Amino acid sequence: MSSTATILLSLSIALLAGLLLSRLARKLKLPAVTAYLISGVLIGPFLLGAINIPGIGITHTQLESFGIISDLALGFIAFSMGNEFRLAQLKKIGKQATIIGVFQAIFTTIIVDVVLIGLHFIMPDKLSLSAALVLGAVATATAPAATLMVVKQYKAKGPVTDILLPVVALDDAVGLVVFAISFGVAKSLNSGAIDVLSVVLEPVIEVIASLALGAIMGALFTFCEKFFHSRSKRMAVSVTFVMMTVAISSLKFEVFGVHIGFSSLLACMMLGTMFCNFCEVSEELMDRADRWTAPILVLFFVISGAELELSVFADWAVVVIGLVYIASRSVGKYFGAGISARASKCDENIIKYLGITLLPQAGVALGMAIKATELGPDGNIVRNITLFAVLVYELVGPYLTKVALTKAGDIKEHERSDARKEHLESKAAK
């Protein structure tokens, strides 16, 4: 069987496995995203993929070639989140979302750093000071993909949902800066020399450059959309600009010794923000783009499940440190969101439930962990603990998000529409 045929067969099996398992998840009242992740684990390189039969399961080698799917999916997820930054809505919740987004991220970093530094003194041979500092920064990141999928699946609407998505977006922007600073300090501790460029300047440039790129692409998108009138061509233009923004975001430059890179998440969020505020028909196009990307997002979560490293359970130190990390991060997110929400005079449901919805962690945290491997052995422990935490958070987080939004009243427990049944009834009526 050719490599192309093998890849297509593996992708189709991954898609089918995710869809079939989502039917079981619905019976168990679990979010579909949880089913996609579990199906990825089942067909991934540690289970079916380990059999190494072409087309059956996903191997480590294939996962590397599926990176483009993950990059594209994250681009569309960030683009959709940009839709939450409409000026009319920001006038109502912008100040509150900013306070919560910044405070809970920094509060979580402080809590995790304090706890892990304390653990460092208990088991210094397993957890270095550098690794503890970097893990504190990794703790800021929240998974926008899982959160957005739960919101869309259950059509969540209400005060908590309205503030949740802007907070998640700001959370990751703050996280990138905090991580870059902590990573720079960790490198300085290991080398004994302080690099001001990497600690302060480069992370700020990355955020500014990403927002500027997204703004430029958003302005071009809004301008080009006016030349197309059919629904299919306008949707094609939407897909084109998201893909183009993701592609440009992967570029890296060096100017006068300063490394300049982009965050595709921030760039695509700004792309969506510009488009939704300046294009008169943005809501229709956003809705159509969501429909087009549905199978890509299913594949993204199945592949994410396949990437979860079950081997991390083999090291007792990773499990112990990972459990401490998960507990301290959860405390930081929950109380950080609650304290800042109360200080900014938010609705009582936001104070009680927002922190729970910020627990999922995946793509951004994994990206930070991969960057941390540059620290050598210290970076490897950061990577393994992050993988352990992601495994737990991704399987449990979406369910907790659903429970929190349901208790807050943003998810209404009613019978979901059956498109197939409605079509058959309509056909019979004719």
Side-chain angles (χ1 to χ4, degrees):
M1 189 181 292
S2 68
S3 59
T4 301
T6 301
I7 289 173
L8 289 175
L9 183 57
S10 295
L11 286 175
S12 61
I13 289 173
L15 189 56
L16 183 61
L19 292 172
L20 290 176
L21 204 59
S22 70
R23 297 301 84 200
L24 176 61
R26 184 177 179 181
K27 297 289 184 183
L28 299 174
K29 295 186 177 181
L30 293 172
V33 63
T34 302
Y36 303 149
L37 289 163
I38 292 173
S39 65
V41 172
L42 294 176
I43 67 173
F46 290 96
L47 293 173
L48 281 179
I51 301 173
N52 205 24
I53 299 176
I56 305 298
I58 299 175
T59 64
H60 279 294
T61 304
Q62 288 174 327
L63 280 176
E64 295 175 5
S65 63
F66 294 161
I68 189 172
I69 296 174
S70 297
D71 291 342
L72 187 59
L74 283 171
F76 278 104
I77 288 164
F79 177 66
S80 294
M81 292 186 70
N83 194 37
E84 304 303 319
F85 288 89
R86 291 181 180 273
L87 291 177
Q89 186 177 2
L90 287 179
K91 288 178 182 178
K92 298 178 183 177
I93 63 168
K95 182 179 179 181
Q96 293 173 325
T98 302
I99 292 172
I100 296 170
V102 174
F103 180 84
Q104 58 81 27
I106 295 174
F107 184 80
T108 301
T109 295
I110 294 171
I111 293 294
V112 175
D113 273 344
V114 169
V115 172
L116 292 185
I117 288 172
L119 190 62
H120 156 70
F121 288 108
I122 296 173
M123 43 195 304
D125 56 326
K126 297 294 183 181
L127 180 66
S128 68
L129 183 60
S130 297
L133 288 173
V134 174
L135 281 168
V138 173
T140 60
T142 303
T147 303
L148 189 64
M149 283 290 281
V150 172
V151 168
K152 286 184 176 181
Q153 179 185 351
Y154 294 102
K155 297 179 172 61
K157 288 183 180 179
V160 180
T161 304
D162 288 343
I163 203 167
L164 169 60
L165 296 179
V167 166
V168 170
L170 287 167
D171 176 271
D172 286 334
V174 174
L176 288 171
V177 176
V178 173
F179 173 78
I181 293 172
S182 296
F183 181 66
V185 172
K187 284 200 299 184
S188 299
L189 286 173
N190 286 357
S191 66
I194 298 176
D195 184 356
V196 177
L197 284 181
S198 62
V199 173
V200 180
L201 188 59
E202 290 180 1
V204 174
I205 290 177
E206 179 175 337
V207 172
I208 294 174
S210 300
L211 295 177
L213 172 62
I216 293 169
M217 297 302 290
L220 288 172
F221 181 13
T222 304
F223 175 74
C224 291
E225 181 275 332
K226 297 175 182 177
F227 294 101
F228 302 93
H229 305 286
S230 71
R231 290 189 178 92
S232 59
K233 285 186 173 62
R234 284 159 59 225
M235 187 186 75
V237 173
S238 304
V239 174
T240 298
F241 273 89
V242 174
M243 291 175 66
M244 195 181 300
T245 304
V246 171
I248 297 174
S249 297
S250 67
L251 300 177
K252 296 184 184 299
F253 308 93
E254 184 173 338
V255 180
F256 300 116
V258 178
H259 295 89
I260 299 176
F262 303 94
S263 163
S264 63
L265 275 177
L266 289 181
C268 288
M269 272 191 276
M270 179 55 80
L271 171 72
T273 300
M274 288 288 292
F275 182 63
C276 75
N277 282 293
F278 293 100
C279 178
E280 297 175 351
V281 293
S282 62
E283 287 192 38
E284 178 210 350
L285 285 178
M286 286 279 194
D287 182 59
R288 289 187 170 277
D290 285 344
R291 296 178 188 180
W292 184 86
T293 57
I296 295 177
L297 295 183
V298 174
L299 273 176
F300 167 71
F301 284 106
V302 175
I303 291 170
S304 296
E307 289 175 332
L308 295 176
E309 296 264 356
L310 302 184
S311 60
V312 295
F313 288 109
D315 189 343
W316 70 268
V318 169
V319 174
V320 171
I321 299 169
L323 290 173
V324 173
Y325 168 84
I326 290 170
S328 57
R329 178 180 179 271
S330 300
V331 168
K333 287 290 180 183
Y334 182 79
F335 287 102
I339 292 168
S340 53
R342 190 177 295 280
S344 53
K345 299 178 181 178
C346 289
D347 181 270
E348 189 62 30
N349 279 338
I350 295 175
I351 296 171
K352 288 172 64 178
Y353 299 113
L354 180 62
I356 298 172
T357 65
L358 298 176
L359 295 182
Q361 191 174 43
V364 178
L366 290 174
M368 293 176 178
I370 291 170
K371 176 71 174 176
T373 55
E374 294 177 15
L375 294 172
D378 291 342
N380 290 333
I381 193 72
V382 170
R383 176 182 176 274
N384 289 338
I385 291 166
T386 303
L387 286 169
F388 175 81
V390 166
L391 178 63
V392 175
Y393 277 128
E394 281 297 88
L395 296 178
V396 178
Y399 175 72
L400 293 178
T401 298
K402 180 212 169 188
V403 170
L405 292 177
T406 301
K407 287 186 175 294
D410 286 25
I411 292 178
K412 309 297 181 185
E413 291 290 352
H414 57 75
E415 186 65 30
R416 297 181 67 195
S417 60
D418 187 328
R420 186 174 185 275
K421 183 178 178 181
E422 288 174 1
H423 176 73
L424 291 175
E425 289 175 350
S426 175
K427 186 177 180 181
K430 293 179 181 179

